[in-house]
Amino acid sequence: MSRTERTNCRLCGYLCALTAHVENGCVVSVEPDPSRYPYDTSIMKGCRRWRSNAEILNHPQRMNFPLKRVGERGGGQWEQIPWTQALDEIAGRLGDLKQSYGAETLATSIGGPHATYWPMHRFMNLFGSPNNVGIGQICWNPGIWTNTLTFGWPIDNELDPERTSCAIIWGTNPAESDNSFFWRSIVKFANGGGNLIVVDPRRTRTAALAKHWLAIKPATDSALALGLLNVIVGEKLHDEAFVDEWCNGFPELQSHIASYTPERCAEITGVNAAEIVRVARLLAQARPSTIISGRGIDQIGANSIATHRALAILRAITGNVDIPGSNYLGETPDITPEIDLELSDRLPAGQKEKQLGQHRLLLQTYSGYENVDSHTRLAGKRLPKRYLTSAHPNLVWRAMLSGEPYPIRSMIVMGSNPLLTQADTHLIYRALRSLDLLVVLEYFKTPTAMLADYILPSAGGMERPVVQTNAGVANIAYGGPAAISPLFERHADFDFWRGLGVRLGEASDWPWSTFEEALDDVFRPAGLTWSEFCETGIYAPECKYEKHKEINPETGRATGFSTPSGKIELYSHMLHTLGYEPLPENKPAAIYDAEFPLQLITGARRQPFYASSFHQVETLRAIHPTPWAEMSAETAAKIGAVDGAKVRVETISGQARFTTRIVVMRPGVVSVEYGWWFPGEGTERNELDSIWISNANVLTNAEFENCDPLLGQWSYNGLPCRVYPIAKEHDEILGPQSTDHEMQAD
């Protein structure tokens, strides 16, 4: 029997609406649904993923039943067991480990678009462990923290082709990472003659649309932003009325940036001084203007916070805050916020004190959160806590191996593949192999899953409801219903966490029997049921601008901003109190020498893949079959490489193989793709070993002592490296023991 069902893509975070064609209970094909969010089939035209939904759902390598390891870890020997047995055994082993070592012995790893985080956070708070691991420190958290410190709440990227006069896209490439309504807006803005400026060492497809492409040296972004501030303030191009009324600390800023002249910043960044002046004037004089930054800024280590702060200050002093066509100050959600769903208040105080790294980190801690929350809460605003207090990954991996400061003996991995997506693959490999219990919830048998004790099959996007709420920092929700019931013994991640929680004595805190029931409660404050929300697939009330000017009826004064001063904090007294620089400062870049003369960028994403996902899918691999190392013709000539040639990239941490692609980009810089492994090539052991071939994170590390003390960011960009052509194909697979003597311990 054939039918059509409304559903949504979940192959990235945008959840575009689909119509699924279902035959005999299985999805056979999909097409865009123009009746629901994003309401325009052309928006999906440039995306290479969505067409693969049915192929991924029915792929022969999809996980269908729980598997239990029966041989040596990583040996590829498994026993198929029922879902209930898997949960019973996992709960029993977790209970024993908790009794032996305390609740902190459990860590979790999250990531990817195919997971719902709050049920995991809820479970961890009730279980009593502070050790959830993600990549928040170098993805999302830096911008959320710094904009909250500056404006009192996070801001949203906004570009309106009909209103925006000038747009800076900084450290992100929406042509590859987005392909949603936002990317279409950029294209429309640029093609309509808008003043588009792109800051990126690479001439990406986004940069190719720009009137001004600033080919910056990696990890020097803070110097460029400070140079722009120098010009705008020095030439009195700032919005004086807005600064006087709504900004705090302008005299301190004025004095601080005096030394960041265009000439000095040109020397640091490699961007011509005249171009710095030109872009600064354009940004200040074209109103409204918007600055849109991305993961590239999050991943530059010591200069990440400084860059985010400088960009926030640029928005503020030009008056481009919370006005149409500029950066929009988010609103608290009408639906149940993430902080209420995660139950962070239930984590005992004694367990919060066991957060790893809290004695060095100033903000990415429970005490740091409370310092900021004490101000935002006064305005009825509450940030999600578990994201912003997540454990530092490097310390978690080390605790697994050393037992210091306490033993972490178990991990549950959901929608994540840390062997490919976390820094220092060698360390993570050793750490995961050392565990007493490793559980992985996944679509496919990833390299991380191959090391597990249990692999549980996750229901796909079309097998379960999906919803995105931006973690509760904006008044928006988008998503939709399942098209079919989960196939085989696949389950939504909600079912796993609830099932585990009930088995471990948390039944009263899991009052819903299904995810749909929980979603009814989530949407109830907005006056909606889950099914009513699914009619449109989006909840997004009309934006209210200039909210700081609204009059508080109780005080008769303007609302202002949710900061200690009630104004935008150019000079951050809170950062000063924490012992961190209150105004952004550029930190010296990494040192390059004759041994490692080039600069490496390790975080490039490219359609059709999403991080390390979907490399099993034949139609997607056919689109992009090999990982690239992009470099300029000048750089390639210096190392003796030609387009299409295999090269080895080396850093102090390791080495990996890529295929040369000569492009227009800054000379002396090499950009390698992220998330690569080679499923479907040989045995399961061969697939696991493929993480040593072209994995960008073999080249990285995140040593805690070298990370930024505010959040603990490590650097993925601007790493010293060397590159040379590969002469012998048989020498390509290095393996862990070839690059790290500590692997002998295994």
Side-chain angles (χ1 to χ4, degrees):
M1 184 176 67
S2 300
R3 69 179 195 274
T4 60
E5 295 287 349
R6 297 175 305 174
T7 191
N8 289 67
C9 182
R10 192 67 199 258
L11 303 185
C12 82
Y14 288 99
L15 312 186
C16 294
L18 298 172
T19 297
H21 296 270
V22 181
E23 294 184 3
N24 300 319
C26 190
V27 176
V28 295
S29 65
V30 295
E31 60 187 3
D33 179 0
S35 70
R36 296 183 298 125
Y37 167 83
Y39 297 110
D40 184 350
T41 59
S42 66
I43 288 174
M44 300 172 69
K45 184 178 179 181
C47 176
R48 297 179 174 183
R49 297 189 191 110
W50 67 267
R51 296 173 181 84
S52 302
N53 270 280
E55 182 180 2
I56 292 171
L57 183 73
N58 304 309
H59 197 280
Q61 293 182 37
R62 270 296 294 270
M63 295 296 303
N64 294 324
F65 301 96
L67 296 180
K68 177 182 179 180
R69 177 172 65 85
V70 294
E72 67 174 7
R73 194 179 295 282
Q77 295 180 305
W78 304 93
E79 174 191 0
Q80 181 179 307
I81 62 175
W83 178 270
T84 53
Q85 179 184 338
L87 260 65
D88 288 344
E89 292 184 8
I90 293 167
R93 293 179 68 174
L94 281 177
D96 291 343
L97 288 167
K98 182 177 182 179
Q99 186 172 8
S100 297
Y101 301 110
E104 62 273 15
T105 198
L106 172 63
T108 53
S109 176
I110 57 174
H114 52 287
T116 304
Y117 296 160
W118 69 258
M120 187 204 74
H121 292 154
R122 188 184 191 94
F123 173 84
M124 288 292 279
N125 283 322
L126 295 171
F127 187 81
S129 174
N131 292 319
N132 56 298
V133 171
I135 57 170
Q137 289 91 342
I138 49 85
C139 179
W140 199 73
N141 288 18
I144 296 298
W145 274 126
T146 53
N147 288 315
T148 299
L149 288 169
T150 307
F151 302 111
W153 194 249
I155 59 172
D156 287 335
N157 290 332
E158 182 169 318
L159 191 159
D160 185 340
E162 307 301 325
R163 291 172 168 170
T164 304
S165 295
C166 176
I168 300 184
I169 309 294
W170 199 312
T172 186
N173 180 21
E176 297 292 343
S177 62
D178 192 277
N179 280 286
S180 70
F181 181 78
F182 177 55
W183 168 238
R184 299 276 300 186
S185 297
I186 293 172
V187 173
K188 184 177 180 180
F189 176 74
N191 290 342
N195 293 303
L196 180 64
I197 301 160
V198 173
V199 180
D200 200 308
R202 306 167 299 149
R203 192 173 187 270
T204 61
R205 285 202 292 142
T206 307
L209 295 174
K211 288 186 177 179
H212 299 274
W213 168 45
L214 307 188
I216 191 172
K217 292 180 183 177
T220 64
D221 304 77
S222 55
L224 178 58
L226 288 162
L228 298 177
L229 284 168
N230 174 281
V231 174
I232 292 171
V233 172
E235 296 186 2
K236 300 187 185 304
L237 300 176
H238 60 282
D239 187 329
E240 187 173 357
F242 184 83
V243 168
D244 287 347
E245 186 172 4
W246 295 112
C247 295
N248 181 61
F250 184 75
E252 293 89 339
L253 172 71
Q254 192 172 26
S255 174
H256 177 73
I257 61 174
S259 64
Y260 287 97
T261 64
E263 292 73 22
R264 178 192 173 194
C265 294
E267 184 176 346
I268 297 170
T269 66
V271 177
N272 184 276
E275 188 74 344
I276 293 175
V277 173
R278 187 178 302 114
V279 167
R281 290 171 178 168
L282 183 58
L283 175 66
Q285 294 172 342
R287 292 288 302 272
S289 294
T290 187
I291 301 174
I292 298 162
S293 64
R295 190 182 288 110
I297 302 305
D298 295 344
Q299 298 185 351
I300 57 175
N303 281 316
S304 174
I305 293 296
T307 304
H308 275 293
R309 280 276 294 143
L311 296 183
I313 293 169
L314 277 168
R315 297 177 181 108
I317 68 166
T318 56
N320 285 297
V321 178
D322 213 27
I323 59 175
S326 185
N327 294 102
Y328 177 68
L329 188 64
E331 298 181 63
T332 54
D334 293 335
I335 64 173
T336 305
E338 189 101 354
I339 181 103
D340 287 345
L341 295 168
E342 64 186 30
L343 298 184
S344 279
D345 61 330
R346 299 285 295 279
L347 182 67
Q351 293 305 105
K352 292 177 183 178
E353 293 173 2
K354 294 178 181 178
Q355 183 187 17
L356 298 178
Q358 64 172 315
H359 299 299
R360 180 172 181 267
L361 296 181
L362 304 174
L363 194 57
Q364 182 81 14
T365 63
Y366 285 98
S367 60
Y369 179 94
E370 297 301 333
N371 285 335
V372 176
D373 184 60
S374 64
H375 296 285
T376 58
R377 186 180 288 269
L378 291 175
K381 300 176 178 181
R382 292 174 298 147
L383 295 166
K385 186 176 288 189
R386 289 294 298 214
Y387 291 101
L388 299 174
T389 56
S390 57
H392 196 281
N394 183 254
L395 295 181
V396 171
W397 312 130
R398 285 156 57 172
M400 289 177 180
L401 290 166
S402 69
E404 298 295 335
Y406 49 75
I408 294 180
R409 303 306 309 143
S410 57
M411 173 170 266
I412 301 174
V413 177
M414 180 181 72
S416 174
N417 189 6
L419 281 174
L420 286 146
T421 60
Q422 286 275 354
D424 198 342
T425 301
H426 297 101
L427 173 66
I428 298 166
Y429 184 84
R430 295 198 308 276
L432 295 181
R433 284 178 63 91
S434 75
L435 291 175
D436 295 331
L437 177 64
L438 176 60
V439 179
V440 175
L441 284 67
E442 258 297 357
Y443 285 179
F444 292 95
K445 198 180 289 181
T446 65
T448 301
M450 293 172 192
L451 293 181
D453 296 286
Y454 297 87
I455 312 174
L456 279 78
S458 291
M462 296 185 296
E463 297 173 286
R464 66 177 180 87
V466 293
V467 63
Q468 174 63 263
T469 63
N470 289 7
V473 301
N475 193 21
I476 189 170
Y478 47 97
I484 59 173
S485 298
L487 302 173
F488 306 102
E489 280 205 69
R490 303 174 190 171
H491 282 264
D493 41 76
F494 173 88
D495 298 340
F496 171 81
W497 296 110
R498 181 186 181 277
L500 205 57
V502 168
R503 285 165 171 81
L504 289 167
E506 303 171 6
S508 62
D509 291 301
W510 296 91
W512 321 278
S513 59
T514 66
F515 190 35
E516 288 89 343
E517 286 182 17
L519 290 172
D520 273 336
D521 275 359
V522 169
F523 280 89
R524 184 169 288 111
L528 291 172
T529 64
W530 169 247
S531 61
E532 289 170 340
F533 164 80
C534 290
E535 292 296 321
T536 61
I538 188 167
Y539 179 80
E542 186 175 349
C543 294
K544 295 185 294 183
Y545 294 97
E546 297 188 301
K547 294 178 283 296
H548 54 282
K549 293 184 177 180
E550 295 176 357
I551 301 300
N552 184 327
E554 295 182 4
T555 64
R557 297 193 297 268
T559 301
F561 296 86
S562 304
T563 61
S565 66
K567 297 183 177 183
I568 297 172
E569 300 270 332
L570 308 180
Y571 180 100
S572 175
H573 289 280
M574 187 172 294
L575 286 177
H576 176 74
T577 300
L578 291 173
Y580 199 82
E581 54 261 24
L583 287 162
E585 299 176 5
N586 179 68
K587 312 287 196 313
I591 298 174
Y592 306 89
D593 54 27
E595 185 178 8
F596 296 105
L598 302 174
Q599 297 174 286
L600 180 65
I601 299 171
T602 66
R605 272 72 164 164
R606 187 169 300 280
Q607 285 259 3
F609 306 118
Y610 190 100
S612 68
S613 299
F614 315 135
H615 288 270
Q616 302 90 344
V617 182
E618 292 81 357
T619 56
L620 300 184
R621 277 285 290 276
I623 294 171
H624 187 46
T626 186
W628 290 335
E630 294 183 318
M631 63 190 78
S632 69
E634 177 183 334
T635 303
K638 284 186 177 180
I639 66 171
V642 296
D643 198 59
K646 298 287 195 303
V647 292
R648 193 176 304 287
V649 180
E650 292 188 7
T651 68
I652 195 172
S653 299
Q655 49 187 300
R657 182 206 74 189
F658 299 90
T659 298
T660 303
R661 185 173 186 246
I662 296 177
V663 298
V664 179
M665 64 185 295
R666 182 173 189 85
V669 179
V670 178
S671 173
V672 299
E673 289 188 61
Y674 157 92
W676 268 84
W677 60 298
F678 298 92
E681 298 185 10
T683 65
E684 184 171 313
R685 184 73 224 190
N686 294 142
E687 292 187 2
L688 177 57
D689 285 342
S690 76
I691 65 172
W692 310 111
I693 302 175
S694 303
N695 179 0
N697 274 317
V698 171
L699 308 172
T700 65
N701 72 75
E703 290 296 322
F704 180 70
E705 292 75 13
N706 298 326
C707 290
D708 183 84
L710 196 67
L711 307 184
Q713 303 104 299
W714 55 96
S715 182
Y716 278 147
N717 296 335
L719 306 178
C721 76
R722 63 187 176 209
V723 182
Y724 53 88
I726 292 175
K728 297 180 180 180
E729 289 288 327
H730 70 266
D731 190 38
E732 291 179 9
I733 298 179
L734 303 176
Q737 294 180 343
S738 300
T739 54
D740 192 330
H741 67 86
E742 294 181 78
M743 290 302 303
Q744 300 295 334
D746 289 332

